[in-house]
Amino acid sequence: MKYIIIFIAFFSFISSHSQNSKNNKPNIILMMCDDLGWGDVGFNGNTIIKTPNLDKMASEGAKLNHFYSIGPVCSPTRASFLTGRHYYRMGIWSANTAHLPAQEYTIAKMLKQQGYTTGHFGKWHLGTLSKTISAKGSKRKPEVNFAPPWLRDYDDSFVTESAVCTWDPGIGPRAKNNPYYHNGIPIKDPYNENVLGDDSKVLMDRAIPFIQNAVKNNQPFVAVIWFHAPHEDIKAGPEYLKRYEGHGEAAHYYGCVNAVDDQVGRLRMELEKLGVADNTALFFTSDNGPEGKQEMKPERPIKRAGVTGGFRGRKRDVYDGGVRVPSLALWPKHIKPGTVIDVPVSVLDYLPTVKNMAGAKMPNDRPFDGQDMMPILKGKVNKHKKSIPFRYRNYACLVKGKYKLIIESREDNSKDLLYNLEADKTESNNIVGVHPKMVSKMRDEILKFLDDAQESHSGRDYNDDNFIPVSKWRTMKMAPNNNKKTSQ
């Protein structure tokens, strides 16, 4: 009997080891905050907001100093985040508009084909979650823009269409027509469904069981965790307000960022407990710069506590304060602890990076705008080969190495701006006259990109005769002569 027990135990060990050896693909966790400024975290020098868990993640992995959200508002960034393609290819011009086309090749679709289980938790903002209602402030027609994560290759999802209050997300004005949906089922009774209290904890309460179940089933997982904080409505719980006594209303902002950090720490502890921390890659960023008074369209004099770390502009600006965001990457045994990356990279790079990590393949019938940034994170490469394009309102931009070009018109170059981002953090010294040949080449490049994006927008990349563009193409208008804000 003794030998039988030993044999069974040994067989169980061998069986378990064999199953684990099959699962040699890394787990992927992609986290993003909403309206978090570059300077709102300790690892970028903030001395007020406490982010010890994110700071630890920075010390154990890579801090990406020059990381772009691509979109200066949320929905465009989120579309590019999941697809590796510029949002103009999909017709997602701004927040609360259009939806993620079903024909797009996303991180979830790609990894699902590789045997991953897929989960999305928190904000969605890439289409409506109901065919009859849409969230407050949305410009989306519910039925036309119905594009929920459960129809976009996610096995498990716990999401809202749009922003909710960062405390008690299940109630209040933001919750009207905007409940959390768990795998397509709206949570209508918040008091019985545990969607009260800190919102970051509410969504992590659903993300962690998803991860636990994946580990139990010995299945690689990808978890997309998009926090609502610190987007309005901004409210912190009593525990967090105590931590920031004496800071007035700003305490709510500081507190809800601190709450995100607590949940990142909780997540990492769970990964350690489950024994999968070493085989899990974590990425963290924000969808755009902090809310506040814009430079490029200043008619909304909003005051917010978030800071850009000295970069010019804020949310809705294509200056770096609106699009350069905090970013981290952690992959034990692959990315050297304490790595600092100054090379420009962006959310466009997530899909091609994850593709190579998981051994997946791209479809060959469409262009992708990002590139695998893992060689940069590992210190093997110190240059981003692809230029990084931007487009918002009437502004088109291109970052190429240390230079950034901003144009306002296809035909008129009199308002063009060129900045050396290494020497001019505040984008205050327009050197367009110093480098005319460079400006001409960069101008041609961004315009050719927009022409190609227009072809993608029309459905060229999908090979689907039934495809209808989700919105009408937006052309650049002639720049006004009295625009003093960008003519310095």
Side-chain angles (χ1 to χ4, degrees):
M1 185 68 179
K2 175 181 177 182
Y3 295 107
I4 293 175
I5 293 173
I6 293 174
F7 175 79
I8 292 173
F10 178 75
F11 180 80
S12 296
F13 170 79
I14 293 297
S15 177
S16 174
H17 181 76
S18 176
Q19 288 174 352
N20 289 332
S21 67
K22 294 177 183 178
N23 181 11
N24 57 4
K25 296 182 183 295
N27 305 308
I28 311 291
I29 298 178
L30 298 156
M31 297 178 284
M32 184 163 67
C33 278
D34 198 343
D35 291 3
L36 183 72
W38 189 95
D40 285 336
V41 287
F43 64 83
N44 279 341
N46 197 299
T47 58
I48 299 175
I49 304 176
K50 307 302 179 185
T51 56
N53 294 295
L54 289 170
D55 300 347
K56 182 181 179 183
M57 185 174 161
S59 68
E60 295 177 354
K63 180 164 75 85
L64 288 68
N65 282 335
H66 202 154
F67 190 91
Y68 284 116
S69 62
I70 296 297
V73 291
C74 46
S75 295
T77 293
R78 293 165 196 276
S80 291
F81 185 117
L82 295 182
T83 64
R85 283 157 52 89
H86 197 276
Y87 46 87
Y88 254 61
R89 295 190 187 277
M90 292 163 266
I92 301 178
W93 321 124
S94 188
N96 296 301
T97 59
H99 63 270
L100 180 67
Q103 295 85 351
E104 280 294 326
Y105 185 73
T106 65
I107 288 175
K109 181 178 292 186
M110 175 180 70
L111 294 184
K112 196 173 177 67
Q113 292 171 356
Q114 293 296 307
Y116 280 70
T117 183
T118 57
H120 193 110
F121 307 91
K123 192 174 183 179
W124 177 240
H125 220 23
L126 288 172
T128 61
L129 306 179
S130 165
K131 292 184 178 181
T132 58
I133 61 171
S134 187
K136 177 185 177 182
S138 176
K139 302 180 182 97
R140 299 182 177 103
K141 295 180 180 180
E143 187 168 3
V144 173
N145 291 289
F146 183 64
W150 54 90
L151 294 182
R152 294 295 183 272
D153 299 285
Y154 285 103
D155 299 318
D156 193 10
S157 60
F158 181 70
V159 295
T160 64
E161 178 190 335
S162 188
V164 293
C165 186
T166 57
W167 183 263
D168 285 348
I171 57 178
R174 284 274 181 182
K176 184 178 180 180
N177 291 344
N178 189 32
Y180 261 112
Y181 285 77
H182 189 204
N183 295 329
I185 306 299
I187 295 176
K188 297 180 179 180
D189 187 351
Y191 295 96
N192 294 326
E193 294 288 349
N194 196 26
V195 288
L196 297 179
D198 175 63
D199 178 67
S200 297
K201 180 180 182 300
V202 166
L203 68 92
M204 195 63 75
D205 284 346
R206 305 296 177 122
I208 285 178
F210 164 78
I211 292 170
Q212 290 171 333
N213 192 56
V215 174
K216 179 181 178 182
N217 293 327
N218 195 37
Q219 188 173 14
F221 63 83
V222 56
V224 179
I225 303 174
W226 285 353
F227 298 100
H228 292 95
H231 189 290
E232 61 183 14
D233 296 343
I234 303 169
K235 186 177 180 181
E239 172 191 352
Y240 293 100
L241 291 177
K242 285 182 181 179
R243 298 181 188 181
Y244 297 98
E245 286 182 341
H247 289 281
E249 282 298 309
H252 285 281
Y253 188 94
Y254 302 157
C256 70
V257 175
N258 198 171
V260 168
D261 184 80
D262 281 351
Q263 294 307 312
V264 172
R266 176 188 172 196
L267 172 64
R268 293 198 62 197
M269 285 181 62
E270 186 63 29
L271 295 174
E272 291 284 353
K273 181 180 176 181
L274 293 170
V276 296
D278 285 347
N279 193 39
T280 301
L282 295 95
F283 298 88
F284 175 88
T285 191
S286 175
D287 64 346
N288 46 250
E291 180 67 275
K293 184 177 179 180
Q294 309 152 54
E295 289 204 40
M296 292 181 160
K297 197 173 182 183
E299 59 268 27
R300 295 185 67 201
I302 304 169
K303 293 183 179 180
R304 286 289 183 271
V307 294
T308 66
F311 296 109
R312 182 179 180 179
R314 298 176 78 86
K315 180 179 179 180
R316 301 182 188 85
D317 286 324
V318 294
Y319 293 123
D320 268 20
V323 289
R324 192 187 291 207
V325 290
S327 180
L328 299 172
L330 174 66
W331 191 16
K333 301 179 181 179
H334 294 271
I335 299 174
K336 185 179 178 180
T339 297
V340 178
I341 304 296
D342 291 316
V343 179
V345 287
S346 79
V347 298
L348 290 169
D349 300 325
Y350 279 143
L351 185 141
T353 300
V354 169
K355 173 193 78 76
N356 287 345
M357 291 171 66
K361 293 183 179 180
M362 296 278 207
N364 58 10
D365 59 351
R366 65 193 64 185
F368 288 87
D369 301 309
Q371 69 179 57
D372 181 1
M373 64 178 166
M374 194 55 67
I376 296 174
L377 298 179
K378 291 182 176 182
K380 296 180 179 179
V381 175
N382 62 1
K383 185 179 180 181
H384 196 275
K385 292 182 180 179
K386 290 189 176 183
S387 302
I388 302 175
F390 303 81
R391 177 78 165 86
Y392 188 65
R393 292 200 177 109
N394 210 47
Y395 301 94
C397 314
L398 194 75
V399 169
K400 194 175 185 70
K402 63 182 180 181
Y403 293 100
K404 180 178 181 180
L405 178 71
I406 303 175
I407 70 173
E408 292 185 64
S409 169
R410 296 186 69 101
E411 301 82 11
D412 181 6
N413 64 2
S414 64
K415 299 294 182 181
D416 289 359
L417 301 166
L418 180 70
Y419 299 112
N420 180 334
L421 298 175
E422 280 187 4
D424 184 16
K425 178 179 180 178
T426 59
E427 296 174 85
S428 56
N429 183 24
N430 181 12
I431 56 173
V432 69
V434 180
H435 302 284
K437 290 184 179 179
M438 179 189 299
V439 170
S440 179
K441 288 182 179 179
M442 291 179 71
R443 192 173 227 284
D444 286 345
E445 184 175 349
I446 187 62
L447 292 177
K448 286 178 181 178
F449 164 77
L450 290 175
D451 289 341
D452 192 62
Q454 185 173 6
E455 291 295 314
S456 294
H457 171 265
S458 70
R460 176 201 64 189
D461 304 336
Y462 298 147
N463 296 318
D464 183 351
D465 293 336
N466 296 318
F467 175 75
I468 300 174
V470 299
S471 53
K472 185 179 178 181
W473 177 255
R474 288 197 174 184
T475 58
M476 294 188 73
K477 300 176 181 178
M478 187 70 76
N481 293 325
N482 61 351
N483 191 341
K484 298 179 181 180
K485 285 290 175 183
T486 57
S487 61
Q488 52 198 319

